[in-house]
Amino acid sequence: MKLLASDLDGTLLFRHLNNGSKPGDIDAIKQLQKEGHLFGCCTGRTLEGALRSFDNFYDLDFYIASSGAVICNEKREIIYEARVDFETIKSIYETYKDRVNIVLQGRDYYSFKEKEEGIHFTRIYDLEAVRNEPLYGLCLFTEHLEILDEIEVELKEKYPQVSGHRNLGAIDVVSRECSKGIALNKVKELFNADKSYGIGDAKNDLPMIKEADVGFTFHTSADEVKQHADIIVDSVEEALEKYA
């Protein structure tokens, strides 16, 4: 049995498409599952953010969320999690809140901002409101990429207990024990799969692409990502054709 893990945004889901995904990708995934293989997502989104993405599409065999901090089975039950302690969350938030926008990652997102159309999160007014909630990390984001470059370096120096996974204009901060690659290996072991495949388009997908037995990315991906992929394709559908 084989399994393929796919990134979501820019890989399987596209904002410019009416239904979010390419019809050819969806059909190829369904066919793969009919043949007895496994397909799942591997995303920096929260668990609820990932689950919402598939309410109107199809059921996956596994869900990797928060850059590997949470893994769900096909019944959407959590089978693995790695939390970040509240004091670390609080310290990182207080350190960077004036330099970037921040949302906390629990099962879903928590934010101090007012609700925005199309954005799902629980609004909080005090960090103490989530002290006893399961917290998997934070997402730091800004349009000023040079600030993220600085923070990426600072996080490694100041907070060795976490790791930062860069994705365009954001850094997903999770436990040091987590990455998309580590989670892919856990899923391979948990489901007793013979071979793992991973596909993604951005820098934060590199751990998954590197750890997969076969790693895919796109012709449109950055050179830094393409140089670590085994096969370069134009779509998830094409990757699944080569997967067979």
Side-chain angles (χ1 to χ4, degrees):
M1 181 178 63
K2 305 172 183 178
L3 67 84
L4 174 65
S6 173
D7 172 51
L8 292 185
D9 300 291
T11 299
L12 185 61
L13 301 180
F14 303 89
R15 294 184 180 181
H16 67 279
L17 297 179
N18 290 333
N19 67 353
S21 293
K22 299 175 181 178
D25 290 350
I26 296 173
D27 291 342
I29 290 168
K30 289 180 177 179
Q31 181 59 39
L32 181 81
Q33 292 173 311
K34 284 183 181 178
E35 293 172 0
H37 302 299
L38 305 179
F39 183 89
C41 67
C42 189
T43 179
R45 293 189 186 193
T46 61
L47 178 56
E48 289 298 331
L51 295 179
R52 278 193 297 269
S53 303
F54 297 98
D55 283 343
N56 300 318
F57 289 94
Y58 38 79
D59 292 323
L60 303 191
D61 300 298
F62 60 88
Y63 302 79
I64 298 171
S66 292
S67 298
V70 186
I71 300 175
C72 260
N73 61 18
E74 73 282 2
K75 297 179 181 178
R76 303 187 172 191
E77 300 166 333
I78 295 176
I79 55 177
Y80 171 83
E81 64 177 0
R83 302 182 185 185
V84 178
D85 68 272
F86 178 77
E87 294 304 326
T88 298
I89 294 282
K90 182 177 180 180
S91 178
I92 295 173
Y93 178 81
E94 294 294 342
T95 300
Y96 297 112
K97 67 179 181 180
D98 296 325
R99 296 173 64 186
V100 295
N101 297 306
I102 300 178
V103 293
L104 309 185
Q105 289 199 7
R107 187 177 172 96
D108 211 340
Y109 295 104
Y110 298 99
S111 175
F112 285 89
K113 288 193 170 186
E114 294 184 3
K115 290 285 188 179
E116 299 178 37
E117 186 176 354
I119 304 297
H120 297 269
F121 60 77
T122 298
R123 189 179 184 188
I124 58 175
Y125 299 88
D126 190 318
L127 278 176
E128 291 298 321
V130 296
R131 175 179 284 276
N132 297 317
E133 296 295 323
L135 297 174
Y136 305 113
L138 313 88
C139 179
L140 317 181
F141 59 100
T142 178
E143 296 178 353
H144 302 288
L145 302 186
E146 69 279 3
I147 295 179
L148 290 180
D149 291 339
E150 295 171 2
I151 292 175
E152 193 171 12
V153 174
E154 291 174 11
L155 284 169
K156 292 179 181 178
E157 297 174 349
K158 296 180 179 179
Y159 298 98
Q161 67 271 45
V162 300
S163 57
H165 300 278
R166 187 72 174 270
N167 183 17
L168 301 177
I171 301 175
D172 291 319
V173 181
V174 293
S175 167
R176 174 62 68 182
E177 303 169 3
C178 300
S179 75
K180 289 187 175 185
I182 293 172
L184 177 61
N185 285 333
K186 287 184 181 295
V187 169
K188 181 182 178 182
E189 181 180 354
L190 287 168
F191 288 89
N192 197 28
D194 300 310
K195 200 167 186 178
S196 65
Y197 296 73
I199 182 168
D201 69 314
K203 183 177 177 180
N204 69 331
D205 296 311
L206 280 175
M208 172 178 62
I209 292 170
K210 291 178 181 179
E211 288 296 326
D213 293 314
V214 180
F216 296 95
T217 195
F218 302 123
H219 292 284
T220 54
S221 299
D223 289 340
E224 180 182 7
V225 181
K226 287 192 285 188
Q227 69 183 5
H228 291 287
D230 298 299
I231 302 176
I232 300 176
V233 295
D234 287 316
S235 65
V236 171
E237 179 183 13
E238 183 182 351
L240 289 171
E241 289 173 355
K242 295 181 181 298
Y243 174 100

